[in-house]
Amino acid sequence: MYRVAARPAPPFVLALRRLPQPRLTSLGGGLFAAAVMFLLGCLDWLIFDGSPAVYGVLFLPVSAVTALWVRPADLVSAPISVPIAFAFGIVPIAGGSGGLGGQAMAVVTALALHAGWLYGGTLVAGLIASVRKLRLMGRRRARPAGPGPRR
């Protein structure tokens, strides 16, 4: 038998393999995304005077990282938690005045006006979670069945 030489991995793949591979639970993934988006919203407010475009662009990689870092058993939670994180993080840049009611109306208005970013990030998280789930199912199917339980 001849052995086929393994093809070297591209530099991009090697760089991705060096990144940390934490496995977050559903709650951990949601808290991670919410905390990062709130921090990015505050930084956006301080540096860019609350630019929704900057916030939306930063939301996309947070969505991807959240979907990549969630545990395989909790993959369904990634597309659910990232829109909540978007809403939580938009509070600092939403503006609003006149107390709690004014702030709530500003957040709802910002969510409505920037729904494209919200849908885009949710789509990114959903696609990554779906691909991960399909690959996981493929590995399970390809794995040979072991011997049954011993008696």
Side-chain angles (χ1 to χ4, degrees), residues 56-100:
V57 168
L58 293 173
F59 175 62
L60 299 177
V62 171
S63 298
V65 168
T66 302
L68 286 171
W69 285 356
V70 75
R71 295 185 319 174
D74 297 326
L75 281 172
V76 72
S77 69
I80 296 168
S81 62
V82 292
I84 297 168
F86 184 88
F88 185 69
I90 208 163
V91 171
I93 66 168
S97 60
L100 185 60

Tab-separated table of all heavy atoms in Angstrom, residues 56-100:
chain	number	residue	atom	x	y	z
A	56	GLY	N	-22.541	47.841	14.675
A	56	GLY	CA	-23.016	46.719	13.867
A	56	GLY	C	-21.888	45.887	13.298
A	56	GLY	O	-21.951	44.653	13.296
A	57	VAL	N	-20.851	46.560	12.821
A	57	VAL	CA	-19.700	45.822	12.280
A	57	VAL	C	-19.022	45.004	13.381
A	57	VAL	O	-18.607	43.871	13.153
A	57	VAL	CB	-18.704	46.798	11.607
A	57	VAL	CG1	-17.390	46.125	11.303
A	57	VAL	CG2	-19.316	47.374	10.336
A	58	LEU	N	-18.923	45.556	14.571
A	58	LEU	CA	-18.308	44.825	15.681
A	58	LEU	C	-19.191	43.682	16.185
A	58	LEU	O	-18.697	42.724	16.778
A	58	LEU	CB	-17.990	45.784	16.830
A	58	LEU	CG	-16.915	46.821	16.543
A	58	LEU	CD1	-16.815	47.810	17.685
A	58	LEU	CD2	-15.583	46.156	16.282
A	59	PHE	N	-20.488	43.770	15.944
A	59	PHE	CA	-21.405	42.717	16.362
A	59	PHE	C	-21.193	41.428	15.568
A	59	PHE	O	-21.355	40.327	16.110
A	59	PHE	CB	-22.850	43.206	16.198
A	59	PHE	CG	-23.888	42.173	16.480
A	59	PHE	CD1	-23.999	41.606	17.740
A	59	PHE	CD2	-24.773	41.773	15.504
A	59	PHE	CE1	-24.972	40.653	18.014
A	59	PHE	CE2	-25.747	40.829	15.759
A	59	PHE	CZ	-25.845	40.271	17.022
A	60	LEU	N	-20.812	41.530	14.314
A	60	LEU	CA	-20.654	40.345	13.472
A	60	LEU	C	-19.570	39.393	13.981
A	60	LEU	O	-19.816	38.190	14.116
A	60	LEU	CB	-20.401	40.765	12.020
A	60	LEU	CG	-21.530	41.570	11.372
A	60	LEU	CD1	-21.135	41.990	9.966
A	60	LEU	CD2	-22.834	40.817	11.376
A	61	PRO	N	-18.353	39.868	14.303
A	61	PRO	CA	-17.368	38.923	14.837
A	61	PRO	C	-17.732	38.392	16.223
A	61	PRO	O	-17.406	37.247	16.552
A	61	PRO	CB	-16.055	39.699	14.866
A	61	PRO	CG	-16.401	41.106	14.670
A	61	PRO	CD	-17.743	41.173	14.037
A	62	VAL	N	-18.414	39.188	17.034
A	62	VAL	CA	-18.837	38.690	18.344
A	62	VAL	C	-19.836	37.549	18.159
A	62	VAL	O	-19.782	36.539	18.863
A	62	VAL	CB	-19.427	39.827	19.207
A	62	VAL	CG1	-20.067	39.281	20.472
A	62	VAL	CG2	-18.353	40.840	19.551
A	63	SER	N	-20.722	37.688	17.188
A	63	SER	CA	-21.673	36.615	16.886
A	63	SER	C	-20.946	35.358	16.440
A	63	SER	O	-21.283	34.243	16.869
A	63	SER	CB	-22.642	37.058	15.800
A	63	SER	OG	-23.396	38.153	16.205
A	64	ALA	N	-19.956	35.526	15.578
A	64	ALA	CA	-19.209	34.374	15.082
A	64	ALA	C	-18.437	33.689	16.205
A	64	ALA	O	-18.460	32.456	16.326
A	64	ALA	CB	-18.246	34.817	13.977
A	65	VAL	N	-17.772	34.461	17.029
A	65	VAL	CA	-16.982	33.886	18.123
A	65	VAL	C	-17.888	33.180	19.133
A	65	VAL	O	-17.566	32.100	19.628
A	65	VAL	CB	-16.113	34.976	18.798
A	65	VAL	CG1	-15.524	34.495	20.095
A	65	VAL	CG2	-15.017	35.423	17.853
A	66	THR	N	-19.036	33.768	19.409
A	66	THR	CA	-19.966	33.127	20.331
A	66	THR	C	-20.419	31.783	19.785
A	66	THR	O	-20.469	30.785	20.514
A	66	THR	CB	-21.181	34.039	20.591
A	66	THR	OG1	-20.724	35.281	21.126
A	66	THR	CG2	-22.145	33.399	21.563
A	67	ALA	N	-20.736	31.727	18.499
A	67	ALA	CA	-21.172	30.464	17.896
A	67	ALA	C	-20.033	29.448	17.826
A	67	ALA	O	-20.278	28.240	17.892
A	67	ALA	CB	-21.731	30.712	16.500
A	68	LEU	N	-18.809	29.918	17.705
A	68	LEU	CA	-17.670	29.000	17.665
A	68	LEU	C	-17.307	28.460	19.038
A	68	LEU	O	-16.816	27.347	19.166
A	68	LEU	CB	-16.452	29.696	17.056
A	68	LEU	CG	-16.481	29.903	15.559
A	68	LEU	CD1	-15.319	30.806	15.130
A	68	LEU	CD2	-16.430	28.589	14.825
A	69	TRP	N	-17.520	29.254	20.071
A	69	TRP	CA	-17.064	28.873	21.408
A	69	TRP	C	-18.114	28.161	22.248
A	69	TRP	O	-17.802	27.694	23.330
A	69	TRP	CB	-16.555	30.089	22.151
A	69	TRP	CG	-15.208	30.548	21.692
A	69	TRP	CD1	-14.403	29.951	20.773
A	69	TRP	CD2	-14.495	31.699	22.145
A	69	TRP	NE1	-13.249	30.665	20.614
A	69	TRP	CE2	-13.273	31.742	21.454
A	69	TRP	CE3	-14.786	32.685	23.058
A	69	TRP	CZ2	-12.346	32.729	21.646
A	69	TRP	CZ3	-13.856	33.683	23.254
A	69	TRP	CH2	-12.640	33.700	22.557
A	70	VAL	N	-19.346	28.077	21.798
A	70	VAL	CA	-20.360	27.405	22.593
A	70	VAL	C	-20.165	25.886	22.471
A	70	VAL	O	-19.671	25.386	21.460
A	70	VAL	CB	-21.777	27.854	22.159
A	70	VAL	CG1	-22.177	27.231	20.844
A	70	VAL	CG2	-22.788	27.575	23.212
A	71	ARG	N	-20.514	25.160	23.538
A	71	ARG	CA	-20.340	23.706	23.548
A	71	ARG	C	-21.199	23.052	22.468
A	71	ARG	O	-22.250	23.577	22.104
A	71	ARG	CB	-20.789	23.114	24.891
A	71	ARG	CG	-19.996	23.502	26.065
A	71	ARG	CD	-20.430	22.801	27.313
A	71	ARG	NE	-21.896	22.696	27.426
A	71	ARG	CZ	-22.516	22.029	28.381
A	71	ARG	NH1	-21.826	21.400	29.290
A	71	ARG	NH2	-23.825	21.989	28.430
A	72	PRO	N	-20.771	21.894	21.970
A	72	PRO	CA	-21.587	21.207	20.967
A	72	PRO	C	-22.998	20.880	21.461
A	72	PRO	O	-23.951	20.910	20.679
A	72	PRO	CB	-20.801	19.927	20.676
A	72	PRO	CG	-19.387	20.275	20.981
A	72	PRO	CD	-19.462	21.240	22.133
A	73	ALA	N	-23.159	20.595	22.721
A	73	ALA	CA	-24.482	20.272	23.251
A	73	ALA	C	-25.387	21.504	23.311
A	73	ALA	O	-26.610	21.370	23.366
A	73	ALA	CB	-24.351	19.662	24.642
A	74	ASP	N	-24.819	22.697	23.273
A	74	ASP	CA	-25.586	23.929	23.403
A	74	ASP	C	-25.581	24.775	22.132
A	74	ASP	O	-25.770	25.986	22.186
A	74	ASP	CB	-25.033	24.770	24.553
A	74	ASP	CG	-25.163	24.083	25.891
A	74	ASP	OD1	-26.151	23.357	26.076
A	74	ASP	OD2	-24.278	24.257	26.739
A	75	LEU	N	-25.377	24.144	20.988
A	75	LEU	CA	-25.262	24.899	19.746
A	75	LEU	C	-26.524	25.688	19.406
A	75	LEU	O	-26.453	26.753	18.811
A	75	LEU	CB	-24.931	23.954	18.579
A	75	LEU	CG	-23.479	23.524	18.495
A	75	LEU	CD1	-23.288	22.461	17.439
A	75	LEU	CD2	-22.603	24.715	18.197
A	76	VAL	N	-27.654	25.190	19.798
A	76	VAL	CA	-28.902	25.876	19.452
A	76	VAL	C	-29.025	27.217	20.165
A	76	VAL	O	-29.767	28.096	19.720
A	76	VAL	CB	-30.114	24.962	19.745
A	76	VAL	CG1	-30.342	24.825	21.229
A	76	VAL	CG2	-31.353	25.449	19.047
A	77	SER	N	-28.293	27.409	21.230
A	77	SER	CA	-28.419	28.652	22.002
A	77	SER	C	-27.686	29.831	21.373
A	77	SER	O	-28.019	30.981	21.667
A	77	SER	CB	-27.900	28.443	23.420
A	77	SER	OG	-26.498	28.276	23.406
A	78	ALA	N	-26.711	29.593	20.526
A	78	ALA	CA	-25.926	30.707	19.959
A	78	ALA	C	-26.783	31.663	19.134
A	78	ALA	O	-26.717	32.880	19.344
A	78	ALA	CB	-24.760	30.169	19.143
A	79	PRO	N	-27.607	31.180	18.199
A	79	PRO	CA	-28.428	32.133	17.441
A	79	PRO	C	-29.523	32.791	18.281
A	79	PRO	O	-30.126	33.766	17.859
A	79	PRO	CB	-29.055	31.297	16.332
A	79	PRO	CG	-28.353	30.005	16.323
A	79	PRO	CD	-27.691	29.835	17.642
A	80	ILE	N	-29.775	32.270	19.461
A	80	ILE	CA	-30.780	32.865	20.341
A	80	ILE	C	-30.152	33.935	21.229
A	80	ILE	O	-30.748	34.983	21.478
A	80	ILE	CB	-31.451	31.773	21.195
A	80	ILE	CG1	-32.208	30.814	20.284
A	80	ILE	CG2	-32.365	32.370	22.246
A	80	ILE	CD1	-32.671	29.560	20.974
A	81	SER	N	-28.942	33.699	21.687
A	81	SER	CA	-28.334	34.622	22.651
A	81	SER	C	-27.719	35.858	21.998
A	81	SER	O	-27.646	36.911	22.640
A	81	SER	CB	-27.285	33.891	23.488
A	81	SER	OG	-26.247	33.404	22.675
A	82	VAL	N	-27.282	35.777	20.756
A	82	VAL	CA	-26.624	36.949	20.164
A	82	VAL	C	-27.577	38.114	19.900
A	82	VAL	O	-27.176	39.269	20.093
A	82	VAL	CB	-25.781	36.588	18.916
A	82	VAL	CG1	-24.584	35.752	19.295
A	82	VAL	CG2	-26.577	35.928	17.841
A	83	PRO	N	-28.837	37.903	19.503
A	83	PRO	CA	-29.713	39.079	19.390
A	83	PRO	C	-30.000	39.738	20.739
A	83	PRO	O	-30.146	40.964	20.818
A	83	PRO	CB	-31.002	38.527	18.786
A	83	PRO	CG	-30.670	37.212	18.232
A	83	PRO	CD	-29.483	36.707	18.966
A	84	ILE	N	-30.073	38.931	21.784
A	84	ILE	CA	-30.267	39.495	23.127
A	84	ILE	C	-29.054	40.339	23.503
A	84	ILE	O	-29.184	41.428	24.071
A	84	ILE	CB	-30.528	38.369	24.140
A	84	ILE	CG1	-31.818	37.635	23.785
A	84	ILE	CG2	-30.574	38.906	25.564
A	84	ILE	CD1	-32.027	36.342	24.533
A	85	ALA	N	-27.864	39.839	23.160
A	85	ALA	CA	-26.638	40.595	23.436
A	85	ALA	C	-26.597	41.894	22.636
A	85	ALA	O	-26.138	42.925	23.131
A	85	ALA	CB	-25.419	39.737	23.121
A	86	PHE	N	-27.086	41.852	21.391
A	86	PHE	CA	-27.143	43.069	20.576
A	86	PHE	C	-28.025	44.106	21.255
A	86	PHE	O	-27.657	45.283	21.355
A	86	PHE	CB	-27.695	42.735	19.185
A	86	PHE	CG	-27.714	43.891	18.233
A	86	PHE	CD1	-26.608	44.174	17.450
A	86	PHE	CD2	-28.836	44.699	18.091
A	86	PHE	CE1	-26.622	45.234	16.559
A	86	PHE	CE2	-28.857	45.753	17.217
A	86	PHE	CZ	-27.748	46.028	16.446
A	87	ALA	N	-29.185	43.681	21.725
A	87	ALA	CA	-30.111	44.603	22.388
A	87	ALA	C	-29.516	45.137	23.687
A	87	ALA	O	-29.688	46.318	24.013
A	87	ALA	CB	-31.437	43.901	22.656
A	88	PHE	N	-28.834	44.295	24.420
A	88	PHE	CA	-28.222	44.729	25.680
A	88	PHE	C	-27.096	45.722	25.427
A	88	PHE	O	-26.938	46.710	26.155
A	88	PHE	CB	-27.704	43.510	26.445
A	88	PHE	CG	-27.167	43.828	27.801
A	88	PHE	CD1	-28.004	44.238	28.824
A	88	PHE	CD2	-25.810	43.712	28.065
A	88	PHE	CE1	-27.508	44.529	30.080
A	88	PHE	CE2	-25.303	43.999	29.318
A	88	PHE	CZ	-26.154	44.413	30.324
A	89	GLY	N	-26.311	45.478	24.399
A	89	GLY	CA	-25.171	46.343	24.121
A	89	GLY	C	-25.514	47.652	23.447
A	89	GLY	O	-24.714	48.584	23.445
A	90	ILE	N	-26.705	47.747	22.866
A	90	ILE	CA	-27.062	48.978	22.154
A	90	ILE	C	-27.531	50.072	23.109
A	90	ILE	O	-27.663	51.233	22.721
A	90	ILE	CB	-28.115	48.696	21.065
A	90	ILE	CG1	-27.991	49.710	19.945
A	90	ILE	CG2	-29.526	48.680	21.628
A	90	ILE	CD1	-28.672	49.314	18.676
A	91	VAL	N	-27.746	49.725	24.373
A	91	VAL	CA	-28.233	50.694	25.362
A	91	VAL	C	-27.321	51.926	25.460
A	91	VAL	O	-27.824	53.056	25.448
A	91	VAL	CB	-28.440	50.015	26.733
A	91	VAL	CG1	-28.732	51.032	27.818
A	91	VAL	CG2	-29.546	48.981	26.649
A	92	PRO	N	-25.998	51.786	25.529
A	92	PRO	CA	-25.163	53.001	25.666
A	92	PRO	C	-25.209	53.925	24.459
A	92	PRO	O	-25.064	55.137	24.610
A	92	PRO	CB	-23.742	52.460	25.864
A	92	PRO	CG	-23.902	51.058	26.272
A	92	PRO	CD	-25.186	50.581	25.689
A	93	ILE	N	-25.433	53.384	23.264
A	93	ILE	CA	-25.387	54.244	22.073
A	93	ILE	C	-26.773	54.654	21.590
A	93	ILE	O	-26.888	55.398	20.634
A	93	ILE	CB	-24.609	53.571	20.920
A	93	ILE	CG1	-25.335	52.338	20.405
A	93	ILE	CG2	-23.203	53.257	21.329
A	93	ILE	CD1	-24.778	51.819	19.106
A	94	ALA	N	-27.831	54.169	22.230
A	94	ALA	CA	-29.184	54.455	21.765
A	94	ALA	C	-29.581	55.903	21.983
A	94	ALA	O	-30.437	56.424	21.284
A	94	ALA	CB	-30.181	53.529	22.455
A	95	GLY	N	-28.985	56.556	22.944
A	95	GLY	CA	-29.372	57.935	23.250
A	95	GLY	C	-30.570	57.925	24.175
A	95	GLY	O	-30.668	57.124	25.090
A	96	GLY	N	-31.498	58.773	23.912
A	96	GLY	CA	-32.703	58.822	24.725
A	96	GLY	C	-32.554	59.770	25.887
A	96	GLY	O	-31.472	59.980	26.419
A	97	SER	N	-33.666	60.362	26.251
A	97	SER	CA	-33.687	61.265	27.394
A	97	SER	C	-35.070	61.190	28.018
A	97	SER	O	-35.997	60.621	27.456
A	97	SER	CB	-33.365	62.693	26.965
A	97	SER	OG	-34.331	63.136	26.026
A	98	GLY	N	-35.233	61.741	29.168
A	98	GLY	CA	-36.539	61.758	29.808
A	98	GLY	C	-36.801	60.560	30.683
A	98	GLY	O	-37.926	60.119	30.790
A	99	GLY	N	-35.748	60.007	31.255
A	99	GLY	CA	-35.938	58.916	32.205
A	99	GLY	C	-35.966	57.548	31.551
A	99	GLY	O	-35.527	57.356	30.420
A	100	LEU	N	-36.517	56.595	32.284
A	100	LEU	CA	-36.524	55.202	31.852
A	100	LEU	C	-37.366	54.998	30.595
A	100	LEU	O	-36.986	54.248	29.696
A	100	LEU	CB	-37.033	54.312	32.988
A	100	LEU	CG	-36.986	52.816	32.754
A	100	LEU	CD1	-35.560	52.358	32.507
A	100	LEU	CD2	-37.601	52.066	33.911
